[in-house]
C-alpha cells in the first residue's frame, strides 16, 4: 500500500508512462502488419467472414498485390 499521500503522484506518473509504452508498442505492431490482415482483425465478422478461410481470399497477401493498377501490370504509366 501507499505509505504517504505524496507517493500517489509518483505511482500515477509511472502508470501513465507504462500506458504510453503500451500505446507505442500497439502502433508498431499495427504498422508491421500488412494492410489486409490489419483490416481483417479490426472488422466485424459480417464483413470479412466468420472463419479465417472465408476471410483470407478477400485481402491481398503482400505489397505486390496492393501496387497493381487496374490493368494488373503494376505500372503507374497510362
Amino acid at each position: 500500500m501507499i505509505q504517504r499521500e505524496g507517493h500517489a503522484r509518483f505511482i500515477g506518473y509511472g502508470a501513465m508512462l507504462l500506458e504510453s509504452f503500451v500505446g507505442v508498442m500497439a502502433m508498431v505492431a499495427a504498422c508491421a502488419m500488412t494492410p489486409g490482415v490489419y483490416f481483417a482483425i479490426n472488422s466485424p465478422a459480417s464483413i470479412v467472414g466468420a472463419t479465417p478461410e472465408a476471410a483470407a481470399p478477400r485481402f491481398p497477401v503482400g505489397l505486390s498485390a496492393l501496387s497493381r493498377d487496374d490493368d494488373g501490370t503494376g505500372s503507374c504509366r497510362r
Side-chain angles (χ1 to χ4, degrees), residues 11-13 15 18-20 25-26 28-31 34 38-40 49 51 53 57-58 61 63 68 71-73 78:
I11 292 170
Y13 287 149
L18 287 175
E19 185 68 25
S20 66
M25 294 309 293
V28 168
C31 291
T34 57
Y38 182 78
F39 181 74
T51 64
E53 291 80 18
R58 294 180 180 255
V61 175
L63 293 177
R68 289 193 186 117
D71 59 358
T73 61
R78 299 267 174 182

Side-chain angles (χ1 to χ4, degrees), residues 40 43-52 54-55 58-59:
S43 297
S46 61
I47 293 176
V48 295
T51 64
R58 294 180 180 255
F59 301 103

